[in-house]
Amino acid sequence: MLKDLFMGLSQNQFLNNAAKKYGLKLGAQSVVAGTNIEEVMKSIKELNAQGISCTVDNLGEFVFKEEEATEAKDQIIKVIEAIHQNNVDAHISLKPTQLGLDIEYSFCLNNLREIVDKANQYGIFVNIDMEDTGHLQATFDVLDDLSLEYDNVGTVIQAYLLRADEYLEKYKNYRLRIVKGAYKEPDEYAYQDKKEIDRNFVKLIEWHLLNGKFTSIATHDHNIINHVKAFVKKNNIPNDKYEFQMLYGFRKEMQLELAKEGYNFCTYVPFGNDWYGYFMRRLAERPQNLNLVAKQVFNKKTNTIIGVAAGAFLLGRMTNANKKKRK
Ligand SMILES: Cc1cc2nc3c(=O)[nH]c(=O)nc-3n(C[C@H](O)[C@H](O)[C@H](O)COP(=O)(O)OP(=O)(O)OC[C@H]3O[C@@H](n4cnc5c(N)ncnc54)[C@H](O)[C@@H]3O)c2cc1C
């Protein structure tokens, strides 16, 4: 029920626009590293000082206007310049729908080409995040096209996909992030059962560690992390073949602990004004994250937005407005 509530809220355009105006609220500031490049650079430097590298996400997705996609592209290029100028240990994560995948394929590809080209000049890697299955093939196509010119790109394999092992084998020579998968997908494309997803996740990680180029194991799941630790030890997988990744603000102690233990660790650092959808999806993923919201609501009495949000969601359900399912 809560999961559905936050999934629904994450798609609410009105609230998304309102959130952009009001800055980081509802506890989002603990999982979003600021709204501008200066703030995100400060967070990256703090993480780097603790032995943690970063992948930076200029928040935004499902853009349908060319000027917004161009603005996002320009901003990401500024982030790349800032990474270079500040000499921080960081790379880029981006979403093709933020760069115009829903507008026109070649427009999006050109935006990505500009970004990847700039990053390539500075030896910076660009990860293309994987969104819902409606964008899956086009995202692989973008990766294929970019790979004709560049080798500083990679993507994400979602373990909930029935065809994940096929994709993994095809892209095994790329730097790949492996995740459980965050979008709501139908039975015909994805496993629904948590145990089945976890089983497939472990299978894919093990396979890529043995056969792939470089594996980013992106999870907050301590059971899986412990399993991977034992697996790499048993199979003598060298440290430079893999890393662990978690999202900014989540399981901070475990992030530090893994870095201190000598594992390569990379934090996914989102920033920007377009935080609302990202934040709602984190609440949908793990309703316990409501703790973040509760602290703000009770400390600062900022419950207006969440009240409006819940009301708008319920209204949306009543009018059956939210038809498309998304992560
Ligand atoms: C760096 C990164 C990048 C990602 N990129 C993508 C992407 O491109 N595309 C995509 O579809 N998805 C992406 N995801 C999201 C991913 O698919 C999952 O939806 C998300 O990570 C939740 O799954 P989980 O593996 O973390 O563990 P879950 O299945 O959510 O949790 C498993 C167990 O871990 C423990 N746990 C989890 N979180 C916490 C916490 N905060 N505190 C304490 N215990 C906790 C709990 O015991 C829980 O039962 C990304 C995730 C990360 C970390």
Side-chain angles (χ1 to χ4, degrees), residues 212-232:
K213 183 181 173 187
F214 183 89
T215 317
S216 297
I217 301 134
T219 183
H220 309 104
D221 191 331
H222 47 276
N223 290 324
I224 287 174
I225 291 169
N226 288 336
H227 177 90
V228 171
K229 282 178 169 180
F231 182 84
V232 291

Side-chain angles (χ1 to χ4, degrees), residues 314-323:
L314 292 171
L315 192 66
R317 283 195 88 144
M318 280 159 65
T319 56
N320 202 15
N322 294 322
K323 284 196 179 132

Side-chain angles (χ1 to χ4, degrees), residues 135-279:
H135 298 99
L136 181 100
Q137 191 50 54
T139 301
F140 283 135
D141 292 345
V142 166
L143 180 66
D144 291 343
D145 281 339
L146 289 170
S147 302
L148 298 173
E149 297 170 67
Y150 305 100
D151 60 9
N152 60 324
V153 275
T155 191
V156 177
I157 303 293
Q158 296 153 316
Y160 62 17
L161 293 179
L162 304 180
R163 293 176 63 189
D165 48 357
E166 217 180 283
Y167 303 134
L168 192 71
E169 194 165 349
K170 180 165 180 205
Y171 293 99
K172 70 175 181 181
N173 293 324
Y174 287 74
R175 174 178 176 155
L176 291 181
R177 175 193 302 154
I178 307 183
V179 300
K180 290 187 188 178
Y183 296 75
K184 200 165 166 72
E185 299 292 355
D187 297 6
E188 56 187 305
Y189 296 127
Y191 297 109
Q192 308 293 327
D193 180 57
K194 189 169 162 31
K195 279 196 189 132
E196 257 179 321
I197 297 170
D198 285 0
R199 216 177 358 255
N200 204 36
F201 188 40
V202 170
K203 191 178 100 182
L204 298 172
I205 293 169
E206 289 182 352
W207 191 88
H208 201 251
L209 283 168
L210 293 173
N211 302 289
K213 183 181 173 187
F214 183 89
T215 317
S216 297
I217 301 134
T219 183
H220 309 104
D221 191 331
H222 47 276
N223 290 324
I224 287 174
I225 291 169
N226 288 336
H227 177 90
V228 171
K229 282 178 169 180
F231 182 84
V232 291
K233 194 169 174 198
K234 186 171 164 211
N235 292 280
N236 294 317
I237 309 284
N239 242 12
D240 61 359
K241 288 261 288 175
Y242 69 97
E243 68 183 2
F244 291 106
Q245 290 189 353
M246 288 189 201
L247 303 177
Y248 180 85
F250 293 97
R251 305 210 91 166
K252 286 194 259 185
E253 280 168 24
M254 193 183 284
Q255 299 200 14
L256 266 181
E257 212 175 284
L258 285 163
K260 275 194 198 143
E261 285 172 38
Y263 294 102
N264 288 318
F265 194 91
C266 176
T267 300
Y268 186 103
V269 185
F271 84 102
N273 284 322
D274 210 347
W275 56 271
Y276 171 82
Y278 172 84
F279 185 57

